[in-house]
Amino acid sequence: MSKILVADDEALIRRLVCDYLKKAGYETVEAVDGKDAVEKFTLAGDISLVVCDIMMPEYDGWEVTAKIREKSSVPIIVLTARSQEFDELHSFESGADDFVTKPFSPSVLVKRVEALLKRSSSGPDSGSGEVINCDGLTVNLPAHTVFLGSAEIELTAKEYDLLVKLITSPDRIFSRDNLLDSIWGIDFTGDSRTVDSHVARLRTKLGDWGNRHVKTVYGAGYKIEVKTP
């Protein structure tokens, strides 16, 4: 049974989300503020996904996301009562995998949780049994791991999905809309800049390899370039 951490200082919303998650078969852990969320995530050790409000005492949701990202690539969904573009972009830049604006449908939120957990546990094409090697980067699809040389690279679920999508079709250009539909799903309500921020973080985590191989094709999209100078 997957364990979900739900962090929100509004007790009614927190309990509503937990009730729906429990009905769907998940175990839940409640956190009343940002500091409580980070502490309970660390103490539990087996959290499968985090649902986190942005506007919380102690640490806000962005700080919580960033602190969790320092130690884990667990999927994170952020909640907010504000729908400004800045909130959405900053959430993804902090390391979130999904963004939900209040008021929201608890049933739809549960579906988003299910989709993220499914992608996190399997990943695109993970059943192929394939291990991909590209200029020192190794992506083990069955194991869902990424190594650069001997160093393992910690990626979020969406960053991993992006890398797999691109690296399994080297030199093919994928448009932002194509990446949004295949990775975030056709019901995703964000815009193409979500892809941009995730690709930027992926490139940064891959360091020099990312700068050499993760290419922006202006006006077209992104690709993994195999042949480099």
Side-chain angles (χ1 to χ4, degrees):
M1 179 187 298
S2 296
K3 185 182 293 184
I4 313 297
L5 173 63
V6 179
D8 197 311
D9 61 318
E10 295 186 55
L12 288 177
I13 292 179
R14 189 175 66 248
R15 290 167 188 166
L16 177 65
V17 171
C18 286
D19 285 345
Y20 270 81
L21 288 170
K22 288 175 183 176
K23 289 178 183 177
Y26 298 107
E27 181 180 350
T28 62
V29 176
E30 296 185 41
V32 300
D33 58 45
K35 184 177 180 182
D36 189 32
V38 174
E39 290 176 348
K40 286 183 175 175
F41 179 86
T42 302
L43 288 173
D46 59 348
I47 299 295
S48 300
L49 183 142
V50 177
V51 178
C52 179
D53 186 40
I54 288 180
M55 303 304 293
M56 291 190 297
E58 300 295 338
Y59 303 141
D60 62 33
W62 296 318
E63 292 175 293
V64 171
T65 300
K67 289 179 181 295
I68 290 176
R69 280 289 166 260
E70 291 175 358
K71 62 187 74 175
S72 173
S73 59
V74 64
I76 299 175
I77 299 174
V78 295
L79 308 176
T80 181
R82 307 189 307 179
S83 58
Q84 284 96 334
E85 180 181 290
F86 169 80
D87 290 345
E88 183 174 353
L89 292 176
H90 192 39
S91 297
F92 289 125
E93 289 168 357
S94 298
D97 295 285
D98 206 349
F99 178 94
V100 176
T101 303
K102 298 177 181 177
F104 56 86
S105 163
S107 298
V108 172
L109 178 61
V110 170
K111 290 299 182 183
R112 289 178 179 266
V113 167
E114 291 174 350
L116 269 178
L117 286 174
K118 183 177 180 181
R119 294 188 186 114
S120 178
S121 63
S122 59
D125 303 321
S126 63
S128 66
E130 190 174 2
V131 176
I132 299 172
N133 294 287
C134 180
D135 193 23
L137 186 77
T138 302
V139 182
N140 188 316
L141 298 176
H144 204 277
T145 58
V146 178
F147 281 85
L148 189 54
S150 60
E152 184 169 8
I153 307 298
E154 291 290 338
L155 301 178
T156 68
K158 287 294 192 295
E159 291 164 357
Y160 176 82
D161 287 355
L162 270 173
L163 176 61
V164 170
K165 183 74 173 178
L166 295 171
I167 205 167
T168 51
S169 298
D171 293 315
R172 175 183 169 183
I173 300 171
F174 290 91
S175 69
R176 290 168 175 83
D177 287 341
N178 181 293
L179 293 171
L180 274 176
D181 288 347
S182 61
I183 295 172
W184 279 264
I186 59 174
D187 61 338
F188 181 69
T189 57
D191 60 33
S192 62
R193 278 167 291 195
T194 297
V195 176
D196 297 339
S197 62
H198 278 73
V199 171
R201 289 209 319 271
L202 175 63
R203 186 182 283 127
T204 297
K205 288 185 177 182
L206 295 176
D208 182 60
W209 193 99
N211 292 329
R212 287 186 288 113
H213 292 284
V214 182
K215 298 297 183 180
T216 302
V217 182
Y218 293 99
Y222 296 99
K223 69 175 181 177
I224 291 288
E225 186 174 84
V226 176
K227 295 180 180 180
T228 58

